[in-house]
Amino acid sequence: MQKRLIRLSLVLFCFLYHPGISFGQDDRVITLGTKRVIFVDHYLVDTLEGAQIVMHRPNDKGTVIYFNKPWEGVFCGYTTIIKDGPLYRAYYRGMPSDKKYVAPAGKKQSKVTKATAIELDKHLSTTCYAESKDGIHWVKPLLKLHKIDGDFENNVILARESATHNFSPFLDSSPNTPADQKYKAMGGTSEGGGLFAFVSSDGIHWKKFKNEPITKNGMFDSQNVCFWSESEGLYACYFRTWSGTGYKGYRTVSRITSPDFVHWSEPVAMTFGDTPPEQLYTQQTSPYFRAPQIYIAIGGRLMEGRQVLTSEQASKLKVEPGYFHDVSDAYFMTSRGGNRYSRMFMESFIRPGTGLGDWVSRTNYPALNVVQTGQEEMSIYVNKDYAQPTACLERYTLRLDGFTSVYGPYKGGELVTKPFIFSGQELEINYATSAAGEIRIEIQDENGDPVPGFTLKDKQSLIGNEIARIVSWNGNQNLEALANKPVRLHIYLKDADLYSFRFK
């Protein structure tokens, strides 16, 4: 019996550590259609041999917005970026002072309760607005909607409302949304009565959708986000909950859904696969604009008690008291709907920079949404220098689809997909090779046999760096005869990255 167990253990060891790693879960054929494939999980991956999925870190392009108006200040945060046709819109919390402490006239400063803090929010925080024609150069229009400190000359769109603590809008892409509700938003806290919905026709003038919250079952002390899911056919709202009772345990995420923005489901806790728990301060879940069936979540995680700055260094930077005892950075995860996140990478997506101001609590928190800012470029925006006079928003860039790629080293690597059915006539890839590298692609039937005329021998080497390259086999690009039939792709990569592909 003992010898049989040893043999079984050896067989399992060889299977698990064989260099050709299989990710196939079942024999189903995936209906791909014309959807773009990006490699942020193993959804379409059957085997990887000598190749791997790697994460790419964005490039810092510098500050685009300084939070330097009197009503903005050191505690600006929870930013949302919306690309509405040719116009880029930015929404963010303005808060020049810390709501955790209050000093009534003639009395010593004392810490206040959460409930009192929410009431202070109505007076200390606002929702501010900026806009841009290119996503790089931003202006703060004087909207004259709210009187702040005795003056209407400001860019405030919401004031004297507890939802300004974390107001987060979205552009409703549902085919059934009324014109006067083109924009929707979420905001609110548990002490303020729950999470409330807002609507707007122009993204500037807002009103509550209903006087009752859409849910009270959460803590909501973060940026709570919502969007219309084209792939699921419903509204999905992701919001702050805690793993324990009240504010105990880990900061985590739950989800509710609605078919009509009126009737909402009960909250369901999100899962994160076999990964260790972390303090997920924000999650910023939203559909990727080039592959909306995939939700990208580029959030901020808080590492409590990991202090870098000394008291003297914090004083020199003029960091607000209490905000230099922890550090934060940005992480990357994805979802395809339901209550599951995929965290392929526990490593930081955006690391803190070299300046000490980047090593302060609650800085390096990404804004909601990734937007295209050039023919080959997309931008991610990140709140920097939190609790400091230099508080600002910085822009980071990646190539389109460039969150991750399948990478093959110089000695070569291979990817074989699961069986799928596609629509269209051509295969388009987003790729990059070195001068010595190459990519070759073979089409196989569902059993893994090469389709005549579309084998690795028929395919000339792809060399270059292009966002959209049409693949051909001996000059033939037409795949119409293979459409709507189960096929696989067998992809060979040498010193090369494959970022995405789609059939069109």
Side-chain angles (χ1 to χ4, degrees), residues 55-58 278-284 296-303 327-333 343 345-353 358-360 362-367 380-384 394 396:
M55 179 176 67
H56 301 282
R57 290 191 172 93
E278 291 186 317
Q279 296 283 2
L280 304 184
Y281 208 94
T282 62
Q283 34 78 23
Q284 310 299 41
I296 301 294
I298 303 174
R301 62 181 174 182
L302 177 66
M303 296 295 175
V327 292
S328 312
D329 63 8
Y331 66 93
F332 178 87
M333 63 184 181
R343 291 198 72 182
F345 308 97
M346 294 302 294
E347 297 78 12
S348 175
F349 184 58
I350 300 176
R351 292 175 175 173
D358 255 19
W359 295 90
V360 168
R362 294 165 176 81
T363 197
N364 303 307
Y365 281 2
I380 300 158
Y381 299 82
V382 180
N383 281 91
K384 292 280 190 174
E394 290 192 7
Y396 287 72

Side-chain angles (χ1 to χ4, degrees), residues 54 60 81 194 226 230 258 262 288 371 373 385 426-427 442 493:
V54 297
D60 189 350
I81 305 292
C226 188
E230 176 185 320
S258 172
V262 177
Y288 176 45
V371 295
T373 48
D385 291 4
E426 298 175 329
L427 173 60
E442 174 177 86
L493 306 101

Side-chain angles (χ1 to χ4, degrees), residues 87-212:
L87 185 66
Y88 297 81
R89 302 178 186 268
Y91 302 83
Y92 53 94
R93 180 182 69 193
M95 195 163 75
S97 60
D98 187 355
K99 68 181 182 304
K100 291 183 179 179
Y101 297 91
V102 62
K107 294 186 178 181
K108 186 178 178 181
Q109 186 183 63
S110 61
K111 194 168 183 177
V112 302
T113 64
K114 271 273 185 180
T116 306
I118 297 304
E119 287 302 311
L120 287 173
D121 257 350
K122 294 181 181 181
H123 303 284
L124 296 177
S125 66
T126 59
T127 299
C128 303
Y129 171 82
E131 61 186 29
S132 171
K133 294 181 179 179
D134 57 9
I136 302 170
H137 306 92
W138 293 81
V139 297
K140 302 174 183 178
L142 300 179
L143 300 172
K144 301 182 180 182
L145 297 178
H146 297 276
K147 192 175 185 179
I148 307 297
D149 295 332
D151 196 345
F152 279 97
E153 299 285 321
N154 57 63
N155 61 328
V156 172
I157 62 167
L158 202 65
R160 289 169 284 280
E161 163 66 60
S162 61
T164 55
H165 177 76
N166 50 14
F167 188 80
S168 187
F170 69 98
L171 185 60
D172 190 353
S173 59
S174 167
N176 300 317
T177 191
D180 63 346
Q181 298 178 18
K182 176 183 176 182
Y183 288 86
K184 293 183 172 67
M186 295 293 173
T189 61
S190 58
E191 291 83 3
L195 192 60
F196 289 86
F198 294 76
V199 294
S200 172
S201 62
D202 59 3
I204 303 294
H205 303 83
W206 293 86
K207 63 180 180 180
K208 270 186 178 176
F209 181 58
K210 294 193 303 181
N211 288 326
E212 301 78 29

Side-chain angles (χ1 to χ4, degrees), residues 165-354:
H165 177 76
N166 50 14
F167 188 80
S168 187
F170 69 98
L171 185 60
D172 190 353
S173 59
S174 167
N176 300 317
T177 191
D180 63 346
Q181 298 178 18
K182 176 183 176 182
Y183 288 86
K184 293 183 172 67
M186 295 293 173
T189 61
S190 58
E191 291 83 3
L195 192 60
F196 289 86
F198 294 76
V199 294
S200 172
S201 62
D202 59 3
I204 303 294
H205 303 83
W206 293 86
K207 63 180 180 180
K208 270 186 178 176
F209 181 58
K210 294 193 303 181
N211 288 326
E212 301 78 29
I214 65 167
T215 182
K216 296 181 179 180
N217 298 321
M219 304 313 293
F220 316 118
D221 54 324
S222 177
Q223 187 169 358
N224 310 290
V225 306
C226 188
F227 56 85
W228 170 257
S229 169
E230 176 185 320
S231 58
E232 295 186 86
L234 48 75
Y235 292 96
C237 177
Y238 296 78
F239 58 94
R240 160 71 63 76
T241 48
W242 287 68
S243 61
T245 303
Y247 294 98
K248 295 180 180 179
Y250 285 90
R251 296 168 175 86
T252 187
V253 186
S254 292
R255 177 177 119 135
I256 55 175
T257 61
S258 172
D260 54 10
F261 207 68
V262 177
H263 306 92
W264 292 87
S265 66
E266 290 298 312
V268 176
M270 296 296 292
T271 61
F272 305 89
D274 187 20
T275 59
E278 291 186 317
Q279 296 283 2
L280 304 184
Y281 208 94
T282 62
Q283 34 78 23
Q284 310 299 41
T285 308
S286 61
Y288 176 45
F289 64 93
R290 281 168 56 92
Q293 77 278 11
I294 300 171
Y295 310 156
I296 301 294
I298 303 174
R301 62 181 174 182
L302 177 66
M303 296 295 175
E304 290 184 311
R306 303 202 73 189
Q307 183 174 334
V308 173
L309 273 67
T310 65
S311 297
E312 292 75 17
Q313 289 170 328
S315 177
K316 188 174 181 180
L317 289 172
K318 298 182 179 180
V319 180
E320 290 289 318
Y323 285 91
F324 63 94
H325 303 295
D326 317 297
V327 292
S328 312
D329 63 8
Y331 66 93
F332 178 87
M333 63 184 181
T334 61
S335 178
R336 292 180 179 269
N339 72 321
R340 292 180 293 177
Y341 281 119
S342 171
R343 291 198 72 182
M344 284 191 66
F345 308 97
M346 294 302 294
E347 297 78 12
S348 175
F349 184 58
I350 300 176
R351 292 175 175 173
T354 55

